[in-house]
Amino acid sequence: MNLHNRIGVDLASFDRLLREVVSSDRDLPPSSVVLSSVMDLINAGGKRLRPLMVVLGSRFGESGHEPAVMKTAVLLEYLHMASLVHDDIIDQSDMRRGRPTLHETTDVQTAVHIGNYMIARAIEWAAGHPGGDPDGSSEDVSEDEAYRLAELAALVTELCMGEYDQLHHRFDFGLTMEQYLEKTRCKTALLMAHCLKAGAEAAHADAGTAERLFQFGESLGMAFQIQDDLLDFTKPKEAIGKPAGADLRNGNITLPVLYALNDPALAPKIRQLGPHSAAADMDDVIQRIAASGAIEQSEEFARSYAEHARRMIGDFADHPAQRDLQALLHYFLP
Ligand code: FPP
Ligand code: MG
């Protein structure tokens, strides 16, 4: 069963809200490529994992704050979607989820603008709905809400720095485990952690619960990104909707590569790779890493984060929404 069914969230009505963010923008002509492109991105679907995490976090607070929770979920999904538009340009990925990426269906310049627009419009939309009020006319943004928006703005800064670190260390085979973990935390885990925490805060959960949800989300996010890094070596193109080995081809040093660098037979072959390596040399190394013990070691490492999250679930034992956290964990660690 899908995660949204398991935790009882209606994604169709959430998607309607996503569409409303752009359809309500009076500055956007109906014939605009920006409008149709954002609609296409929304219609392409996706697991909507991050907004589901926002809703899940809110279940640890009070009921009756639905509009503020949905607004947070929409904002975070927009930041995520926009970051993928930019990520696919940076990674030169022509496919995502089996479909051509935005810069392929438009062009790189257009896609950069659309990604920027999505971030700006989502913030404008959220700020224009103080307290989650759909009319957004009467109330001012409360101090709490201003604090939450500032936290999310800081999150975008960290996302950008995580991606910058990755770019800066392309083909840097001296990357340390510590640097890899910090980059992974910034580019993926923090967003997931913030989704749970912001959902809890929007529903006025107590600060301790929101903080524990943040830590739970951080561990899940680390497990999620390491699994994503693994898929790049283990799954055929058809299964991941993009060419296998793309990370290493782009010079991104992920956990399987770090472990493979400890293998005396493999290390020299990896270290000789660079941006201008022949495709055959690259393919050969990717296949060797995929067949090496580095895969199992990375799986074990991802499992250790998921296990840490599993242990944390005990902290929520007295709460009815604990079973939703179990469902989320099950999604990450079937
Ligand atoms: C996917 O990583 C990308 C991210 C997790 C973050 C991308 C962030 C930016 C490009 C910074 C800019 C942010 C905003 C909000 C504009 P991946 O390439 O490892 O995963 P993939 O396999 O899904 O491509
Ligand atoms: Mg990518």
Side-chain angles (χ1 to χ4, degrees), residues 195-210:
C195 285
L196 284 170
K197 183 178 180 216
E201 288 176 341
H204 298 198
D206 70 81
T209 302

Side-chain angles (χ1 to χ4, degrees), residues 189-318:
L190 280 179
L191 178 58
M192 295 191 162
H194 273 285
C195 285
L196 284 170
K197 183 178 180 216
E201 288 176 341
H204 298 198
D206 70 81
T209 302
E211 190 49 43
R212 283 201 303 281
L213 284 167
F214 182 91
Q215 286 163 14
F216 175 83
E218 205 176 0
S219 284
L220 277 193
M222 293 297 291
F224 180 86
Q225 184 59 49
I226 296 170
Q227 279 169 354
D228 187 76
D229 291 350
L230 270 160
L231 285 180
D232 199 54
F233 285 98
T234 57
K235 280 276 186 299
K237 176 180 176 170
E238 300 69 43
I240 50 173
K242 59 179 188 174
D247 286 340
L248 188 54
R249 261 180 257 278
N250 284 325
N252 294 343
I253 315 300
T254 57
L255 193 59
V257 179
L258 281 186
Y259 278 130
L261 280 165
N262 293 332
D263 178 335
L266 253 175
K269 291 190 189 303
I270 299 174
R271 287 187 191 283
Q272 74 192 13
L273 295 176
H276 306 297
S277 291
D281 292 338
M282 196 58 95
D283 288 345
D284 176 58
V285 172
I286 288 166
Q287 277 167 27
R288 285 173 193 266
I289 295 176
S292 78
I295 299 301
E296 209 178 304
Q297 282 176 293
S298 306
E299 280 167 354
E300 188 49 44
F301 204 82
R303 249 195 313 274
S304 69
Y305 275 108
E307 285 301 339
H308 179 248
R310 190 199 296 283
R311 284 194 298 278
M312 281 198 71
I313 284 191
D315 293 354
F316 303 95
D318 54 350

